[in-house]
Amino acid sequence: MSNRPIGVFDSGVGGLSVLRALRAELPHETFIYVADSGHAPYGERDDGYLIDRAHAIVNWFTQSHQIKALVVACNTATAAAIHVLRQAYPDMPIVGIEPALKPAVAQSKTKVIGVMATRSTLNSDKFKRLLASLDDQARFVLQPCSGLAPAIEEFNATKIGAACAEYTRAMGTFGSKSGEIDTLVLGCTHYPFAEASLRLGTGPTVTYLEGGSPVAQQTRRLLAGVNQLSAEPLTDAINVKLFSSGYPPALASAARRWLNLEAEAFSLRE
Ligand code: DGL
């Protein structure tokens, strides 16, 4: 049993979609959330840069907060850096996130699946391997979405709407008839927060898949496996500390808006 916190990080506010699932699955745990907004967007960075950022953040997590587990709540950082983090911290339970291609194949009827993600995720070897393992089972329509995560980061409705319209149009026809995309994988943790705008382009029947819940379940499994789940329910309702390398008040308002979470956000100084 351990009451030490779980570290969660993303390039910005997107990982809050994963934090939401983590809090639902593990209500007795304490979380330290880092939004690396000062170095975003990750989706346009190269692997070396993302590996350096991941090391800096995890080093800070271990030194300043003695975390017991790490959740990389970012598809882009997972693809670029998780193997390096696992080597550097062999004793720490580490959970990453990847676009939900396998669940999409299982649930799609038309077997035409849209995948929205950052350019960096779609170009990564990790993603290419995942795609190659499944591309005989469905047709995947891959859509890099430059600018969408930054628009969500800014919470700029006009930019979010324009990007969602452009990218859903570029992917083709959505629907449940043969040849139509009936399943859309949200392969970036920011995109669930644009669902209302995306729906305008895809229509109401398309199934959206994001990776938050599987990540939360895997985190529970790993912690249970090493007997590190929190010992008892916290009496304090606020079990999250927020840190940002960008503008902390923007992170605090995003957490309030999307997670109904009242928590102060602090400046990250690694
Ligand atoms: N939220 C991140 C992901 O899941 C990336 C967004 C960005 O480009 O910074 O891929």
Side-chain angles (χ1 to χ4, degrees), residues 27-28 230-235:
H28 305 149
S230 179
E232 57 197 47
L234 294 175
T235 44

Side-chain angles (χ1 to χ4, degrees), residues 10-12 14-15 40-44 73-77 97 118 121 149-150 187-190:
D10 176 43
S11 64
Y42 277 6
E44 309 295 321
C74 174
N75 293 263
T76 310
I97 186 164
T118 66
T121 296
C188 166
T189 54
H190 281 71

Side-chain angles (χ1 to χ4, degrees), residues 60-243:
W60 177 83
F61 271 142
T62 52
Q63 301 295 315
S64 306
H65 293 281
Q66 291 79 45
I67 58 165
K68 64 180 175 183
L70 173 72
V71 176
V72 183
C74 174
N75 293 263
T76 310
T78 299
I82 199 148
H83 56 292
V84 186
L85 293 176
R86 289 202 167 114
Q87 267 165 16
Y89 299 93
D91 299 327
M92 167 128 50
I94 299 180
V95 183
I97 186 164
E98 66 180 11
L101 266 51
K102 281 180 222 163
V105 169
Q107 89 88 44
S108 171
K109 300 259 187 316
T110 63
K111 301 294 178 201
V112 188
I113 295 165
V115 184
M116 301 177 79
T118 66
R119 190 171 300 283
S120 177
T121 296
L122 296 178
N123 285 338
S124 68
D125 291 340
K126 195 169 188 299
F127 180 78
K128 285 180 186 154
R129 280 196 301 275
L130 176 65
L131 186 64
S133 72
L134 295 165
D135 66 1
D136 56 342
Q137 297 177 50
R139 182 161 75 81
F140 292 94
V141 180
L142 308 183
Q143 183 59 52
C145 300
S146 303
L148 180 52
I152 293 166
E153 205 60 34
E154 273 181 51
F155 196 51
N156 181 320
T158 310
K159 287 188 191 168
I160 294 170
C164 290
E166 177 187 343
Y167 295 135
T168 51
R169 200 176 309 123
M171 295 176 84
T173 310
F174 290 86
S176 50
K177 293 206 277 295
S178 171
E180 294 179 338
I181 301 170
D182 70 348
T183 306
L184 181 62
V185 175
L186 304 183
C188 166
T189 54
H190 281 71
Y191 302 165
F193 297 126
E195 180 166 347
S197 296
L198 288 169
R199 283 273 171 217
L200 298 176
T202 66
T205 62
V206 171
T207 302
Y208 286 18
L209 294 178
E210 55 175 291
S213 298
V215 164
Q217 286 156 16
Q218 175 67 356
T219 306
R220 168 184 284 286
R221 268 194 294 275
L222 287 187
L223 284 173
V226 290
N227 201 21
Q228 292 275 301
L229 285 165
S230 179
E232 57 197 47
L234 294 175
T235 44
D236 180 359
I238 300 197
N239 63 343
V240 179
K241 285 204 178 89
L242 303 171
F243 291 86

Side-chain angles (χ1 to χ4, degrees), residues 45-67:
R45 306 285 194 184
D46 63 33
D47 282 7
Y49 187 91
L50 296 172
I51 289 170
D52 285 351
R53 289 311 304 148
H55 272 310
I57 292 166
V58 181
N59 191 42
W60 177 83
F61 271 142
T62 52
Q63 301 295 315
S64 306
H65 293 281
Q66 291 79 45
I67 58 165

